Amino acid sequence: MAKSKSIEHVAIIMDGNGRWAAERAHRRVWGHIRGSNVVNDIVEAADEMGCKALTLYAFSTENFSRPQEEITTLFRLLKKFIKRERKRVMEKNLRFKIIGDISALPEDTQKLISSLERDSMVNKGMWLNFAFSYGGRVEIIDAINSFIEKNPGEQITEESFAANLYNPEAGDVDLMIRTGGDQRISNFLLWQVAYGELYFTPNKWPEFTKEEFYQIFEKVSGRERRFGSVAADLDYDQTSAQAKLNKELLK
Ligand code: IPE
Ligand code: IPE
Ligand code: MG
């Protein structure tokens, strides 16, 4: 029988900021600023839907190849978000975590991150993970190296590997949404998404809304997740013509 599992971990590739701005004859950074204002709504929506973790892709390891001005804007927006949302994270009982290599960020931002991570660790609500300076392949390599360091000479298993990911408590991804119309994973949570449902929307991140999030959630909740198994087979008459044909074919 196919297993059903509720949607506990949602991951979002927040894409399309640059194109959204260009369509409105604005510079790309404007799209990032407008996009950053959408984040809070979607955090709220995921929390309302009872998610255990929401992981937002904000800056990939590959995004370092963008113009310096754009990179600086994205760094600033992260800092602003952490300062602005600190109170709300605590009020909403969220656990905040950055996944990725934050050593490239300015020192004051690193301090803000560590402080919010530490303070929100006592909370019991939804995990809010920000993937920043994040790469799925690097996360896999880091998990293996961290395992080897702790257990030299031992064989790694799926469980021990998963326990060494950046946020093991977030678990597998149940639903991955990408805004902006492209249908690819772009190096996001490669291990965790193995059996995740994928949903691609043409809407760009700055125009993404809570309502669309709820609709996607509803649609995907109705999908059958088979995890490699099968749906219940049709009951059929073993003496029927079809049964005879099947027996013939299996000879
Ligand atoms: C997503 O929007 C945000 C980041 C990757 C940081 P983009 O900046 O990729 O916008 P498009 O895809 O070029 O429109
Ligand atoms: C993915 O978007 C990364 C983030 C949303 C942070 P990109 O715009 O960088 O991805 P590609 O280049 O279209 O694959
Ligand atoms: Mg993009």
Side-chain angles (χ1 to χ4, degrees):
M1 262 304 272
K3 290 177 209 142
S4 67
K5 181 180 180 293
S6 58
I7 299 171
E8 295 183 346
H9 184 184
V10 177
I12 307 184
I13 304 175
M14 307 184 290
D15 195 26
N17 293 350
R19 281 165 287 160
W20 183 88
E23 280 165 5
R24 286 155 184 81
H26 280 294
R27 302 197 56 228
R28 296 178 55 81
V29 292
W30 172 244
H32 295 314
I33 295 167
R34 291 297 294 262
S36 70
N37 293 332
V38 173
V39 172
N40 189 40
D41 269 1
I42 305 308
V43 172
E44 245 177 51
D47 198 24
E48 280 164 28
M49 297 310 280
C51 293
K52 297 211 170 115
L54 174 69
T55 304
L56 299 173
Y57 204 6
F59 193 90
S60 72
T61 43
E62 289 75 21
N63 291 147
F64 278 107
S65 63
R66 294 191 178 198
Q68 192 53 49
E69 186 206 3
E70 189 170 340
I71 297 176
T72 309
T73 302
L74 290 163
F75 283 11
R76 287 210 183 114
L77 286 170
L78 174 71
K79 182 178 167 187
K80 212 173 139 194
F81 178 85
I82 297 170
K83 279 171 116 174
R84 193 184 63 206
E85 296 304 320
R86 186 186 173 87
K87 202 164 155 243
R88 217 190 310 245
V89 164
M90 296 310 290
E91 275 169 12
K92 294 217 168 257
N93 203 23
L94 305 178
R95 285 176 281 184
F96 179 81
K97 174 123 186 107
I98 296 276
I99 57 169
D101 176 15
I102 59 162
S103 65
L105 294 171
E107 229 170 89
D108 59 344
T109 311
Q110 289 187 40
K111 279 195 185 133
L112 285 169
I113 291 170
S114 318
S115 148
L116 184 53
E117 283 184 345
R118 201 181 41 241
D119 293 350
S120 68
M121 222 152 62
V122 297
N123 294 341
K124 295 276 174 282
M126 183 178 83
W127 276 104
L128 172 57
N129 302 310
F130 254 76
F132 205 98
S133 183
Y134 171 89
R137 287 185 174 174
V138 179
E139 183 181 19
I140 289 174
I141 299 297
D142 282 351
I144 295 169
N145 283 332
S146 123
F147 174 83
I148 292 171
E149 212 173 287
K150 290 181 267 179
N151 312 280
E154 271 184 47
Q155 293 252 355
I156 195 162
T157 62
E158 285 197 18
E159 287 72 28
S160 55
F161 171 85
N164 282 282
L165 290 166
Y166 294 150
N167 185 354
E169 290 195 36
D172 282 345
V173 168
D174 300 303
L175 165 63
M176 185 178 279
I177 300 170
R178 182 177 185 133
T179 61
D182 287 321
Q183 306 196 354
R184 55 176 170 265
I185 305 295
S186 299
N187 203 14
F188 192 33
L189 303 172
L190 298 178
W191 172 272
Q192 296 89 326
V193 82
Y195 263 105
E197 293 290 326
L198 304 178
Y199 195 98
F200 301 100
T201 167
N203 292 325
K204 299 175 181 76
W205 180 250
E207 62 200 358
F208 193 64
T209 58
K210 267 185 159 186
E211 286 64 39
E212 189 175 5
F213 182 86
Y214 298 138
Q215 278 167 15
I216 295 173
F217 209 90
E218 285 289 298
K219 260 189 224 165
V220 173
S221 302
R223 285 186 195 169
E224 185 184 34
R225 301 179 68 195
R226 291 182 289 280
F227 298 98
S229 185
V230 290
D233 210 350
L234 289 176
D235 278 340
Y236 79 120
D237 178 3
Q238 297 290 340
T239 61
S240 67
Q242 179 68 57
K244 277 183 198 138
L245 181 63
N246 286 350
K247 269 184 207 142
E248 271 309 299
L249 289 170
L250 289 170
K251 266 184 193 159

